[in-house]
Amino acid sequence: MEENLISKKELLELTKISYGQLYRWKRKKIIPEDWFIKKSSFTGQETFFPRDKILERVKRIKNMKDEASLDDLAEIFSPKSSDVMLTGSELSNRKIIIKNVIQICYPSENMDKTYSFNEVLYMDVVQRYLMDGGISIEESKIVFETIKSSYSNYLEKNCEIVFIRKMGVGISMILALPNQIYFESLAKIIMRLQINKCIEELKLKLEELF
């Protein structure tokens, strides 16, 4: 199914932003270049965007631009890792990752261990899966091992982590986006998460706390 698109003209009218703002945000990489989709139209060529993504992004930019510079916004929306380092106790006390999730992901470590941004991201993904309620604790360990062992192959790329179940057996995988996946009727997609969106939201959460 083709992604729901919005034209540049409709976007500017709907969000009340200017042409200049839109392309300034593009130059700063606050809006990804691959969201600018060229399509033929009866007037020649027109620019379209993935509707839900661009509307959500513009709303966030407008809400944050008075408190953060364009460079700060570019860092927040970048798929690159942050240089943050936090202990398990800090993650738990600041309600970034709950203690039970830390212990599921790193059972042999005490709460004084320091975690990198990517390690926090892995736990954040597991936490999202568990909070959704669609998978068990044992299945969450499969999700953790998948992202921990495979995400390095997708750094700064648009990808998602998917969990499927067939006849009681769960399988987790990371896939590059965009993609279209099809499974036989007995297999069910339990949950899928865009990792870049998780990175963005985790950065925003850390930005609010620090």
Side-chain angles (χ1 to χ4, degrees):
M1 183 182 296
E2 187 172 306
E3 189 168 17
N4 189 17
L5 301 178
I6 183 172
S7 70
K8 180 171 62 180
K9 180 181 179 182
E10 185 184 355
L11 174 67
L12 298 181
E13 290 175 351
L14 193 61
T15 60
K16 310 299 183 189
I17 63 172
S18 69
Y19 177 95
Q21 281 178 304
L22 178 64
Y23 281 86
R24 186 157 56 249
W25 295 343
K26 178 187 179 184
R27 287 195 301 274
K28 282 290 187 178
K29 299 184 178 179
I30 297 172
I31 297 177
E33 189 167 349
D34 61 8
W35 288 10
F36 289 72
I37 302 165
K38 299 288 186 182
K39 280 184 165 290
S40 296
S41 69
F42 67 90
T43 57
Q45 198 173 55
E46 194 172 350
T47 301
F48 292 84
F49 301 86
R51 174 181 285 270
D52 294 341
K53 291 178 182 177
I54 191 68
L55 291 177
E56 181 184 5
R57 178 63 55 90
V58 170
K59 181 180 178 181
R60 285 193 175 186
I61 294 169
K62 291 174 75 174
N63 287 340
M64 297 173 64
K65 66 183 179 67
D66 291 336
E67 299 177 2
S69 68
L70 291 183
D71 288 336
D72 290 337
L73 291 174
E75 172 59 29
I76 289 170
F77 293 124
S78 166
K80 294 181 180 179
S81 300
S82 166
D83 57 2
V84 68
M85 298 289 288
L86 294 168
T87 66
S89 294
E90 288 172 323
L91 291 170
S92 176
N93 292 340
R94 295 173 187 271
K95 296 181 171 55
I96 301 168
I97 306 294
I98 63 174
K99 186 175 180 179
N100 287 351
V101 171
I102 298 171
Q103 293 173 335
I104 289 169
C105 296
Y106 296 96
S108 62
E109 304 292 346
N110 61 44
M111 295 296 284
D112 293 326
K113 174 180 165 57
T114 300
Y115 296 97
S116 67
F117 180 85
N118 276 358
E119 288 172 324
V120 177
L121 172 66
Y122 305 157
M123 290 188 279
D124 180 65
V125 167
V126 170
Q127 183 165 268
R128 289 167 186 260
Y129 268 88
L130 286 170
M131 292 300 185
D132 182 72
I135 67 172
S136 67
I137 289 176
E138 286 305 309
E139 289 173 329
S140 76
K141 295 176 183 178
I142 298 173
V143 171
F144 177 71
E145 288 303 323
T146 299
I147 190 169
K148 180 183 175 185
S149 62
S150 302
Y151 179 60
S152 60
N153 298 318
Y154 295 87
L155 288 175
E156 300 181 30
K157 296 178 181 177
N158 199 10
C159 59
E160 67 177 351
I161 184 163
V162 181
F163 190 87
I164 64 171
R165 190 182 293 128
K166 178 184 176 182
M167 300 178 69
V169 179
I171 300 172
S172 180
M173 65 190 78
I174 295 180
L175 301 169
L177 291 171
N179 67 60
Q180 288 184 311
I181 53 177
Y182 303 93
F183 298 100
E184 57 183 293
S185 58
L186 291 177
K188 181 181 179 183
I189 297 177
I190 304 301
M191 190 173 176
R192 57 201 303 176
L193 283 175
Q194 289 192 27
I195 296 179
N196 282 2
K197 187 172 182 181
C198 294
I199 291 173
E200 176 187 317
E201 291 177 355
L202 182 58
K203 284 182 178 179
L204 285 169
K205 187 187 293 187
L206 293 172
E207 184 79 12
E208 290 170 0
L209 290 172
F210 295 97

